[in-house]
């Protein structure tokens, strides 16, 4: 084995650079010292907050607004792998948005994600037991009388769209998503 091509981990120049950095960190008023002092304080503060949350049993819930209302992800069950989920993406028709030329066709903004996905549940569009989360079309209930899960929560996907997922507010965090801010 030939070690002549690999740089030495410790050599005189590296040792001098490390010594200079440590000296600067220890010397008052240097940028390295100020950075160390600033980050040390932040680490202590964050550690204190983490301990307080752990002791109180509280959990910080990240909330975000829905910024993209062009479509909604309606989940059949609480499962997310990348951008894939069991369920469907709902789009409410096409129309012209205010301020855009009449030739520009876009999905109509969906303001009530929860109501839209509840309607799909009531039509038996979802089957949590199926691999893709969708019920067979022959089972659809056009009378809107199929049972809807008691708890559906609106989360926010990383792209800013609403995602309606069966479960309580903890379901968002369990999937790495933010809870929809009111």
């Amino acid at each position: 084995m030939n070690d002549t091509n690999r740089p030495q981990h410790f050599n005189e120049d590296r040792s001098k650079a490390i010594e200079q950095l440590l000296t600067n960190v220890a010397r008052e008023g240097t940028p390295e010292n100020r950075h160390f002092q600033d980050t040390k304080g932040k680490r202590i503060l964050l550690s204190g907050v983490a301990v307080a949350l752990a002791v109180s049993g509280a959990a910080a819930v990240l909330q975000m607004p829905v910024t993209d209302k062009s479509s909604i992800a309606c989940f059949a069950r609480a499962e997310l792998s990348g951008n894939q989920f069991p369920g469907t993406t709902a789009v409410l028709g096409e129309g012209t948005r205010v301020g855009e030329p009449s030739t520009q066709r876009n999905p109509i903004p969906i303001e009530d994600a929860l109501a839209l996905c509840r309607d799909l549940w009531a039509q038996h569009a979802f089957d949590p037991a199926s691999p893709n989360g969708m019920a067979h079309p022959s089972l659809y209930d056009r009378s809107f009388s199929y049972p809807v899960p008691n708890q559906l929560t609106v989360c926010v996907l990383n792209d800013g769209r609403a995602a309606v997922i069966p479960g309580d507010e903890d379901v968002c965090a369990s999937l790495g998503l933010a809870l929809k801010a009111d």
Side-chain angles (χ1 to χ4, degrees):
M1 184 158 117
N2 186 353
D3 289 334
T4 58
N5 293 336
R6 292 183 4 189
Q8 288 182 298
H9 289 289
F10 296 101
N11 59 38
E12 190 174 330
D13 292 336
R14 184 177 172 96
S15 293
K16 284 181 184 178
I18 292 170
E19 182 180 357
Q20 183 62 48
L21 177 63
L22 291 173
T23 301
N24 288 346
V25 167
R27 185 175 296 137
E28 290 282 328
T30 63
E32 293 87 354
N33 178 268
R34 284 191 301 273
H35 177 74
F36 176 76
Q37 295 302 325
D38 289 345
T39 58
K40 181 175 77 171
K42 290 175 187 169
R43 283 193 304 256
I44 291 169
L45 175 66
L46 289 175
S47 298
V49 169
V51 168
L53 286 174
V55 169
S56 70
V61 176
L62 177 63
Q63 291 187 343
M64 292 178 57
V66 173
T67 56
D68 180 352
K69 297 180 181 179
S70 63
S71 65
I72 295 171
C74 296
F75 284 54
R77 61 182 175 271
E79 183 180 299
L80 180 63
S81 178
N83 292 329
Q84 303 296 313
F85 62 93
T88 191
T89 298
V91 178
L92 190 61
E94 285 194 66
T96 303
R97 291 185 181 151
V98 175
E100 291 184 350
S102 61
T103 58
Q104 182 71 33
R105 304 293 286 173
N106 294 299
I108 297 170
I110 303 170
E111 298 300 325
D112 193 348
L114 197 54
L116 183 122
C117 292
R118 274 192 176 136
D119 283 351
L120 290 173
W121 275 99
Q123 293 177 60
H124 195 197
F126 300 114
D127 177 2
S130 90
N132 69 356
M134 300 302 295
H136 190 274
S138 65
L139 300 175
Y140 288 179
D141 178 0
R142 301 294 181 218
S143 69
F144 288 78
S145 60
Y146 194 79
V148 176
N150 289 334
Q151 291 188 315
L152 290 172
T153 301
V154 183
C155 305
V156 181
L157 297 171
N158 294 331
D159 62 8
R161 291 181 303 131
V164 179
I165 305 172
D168 62 16
E169 291 183 351
D170 293 338
V171 75
C172 300
S174 74
L175 296 176
L177 302 174
L179 182 64
K180 177 188 172 281
D182 290 329

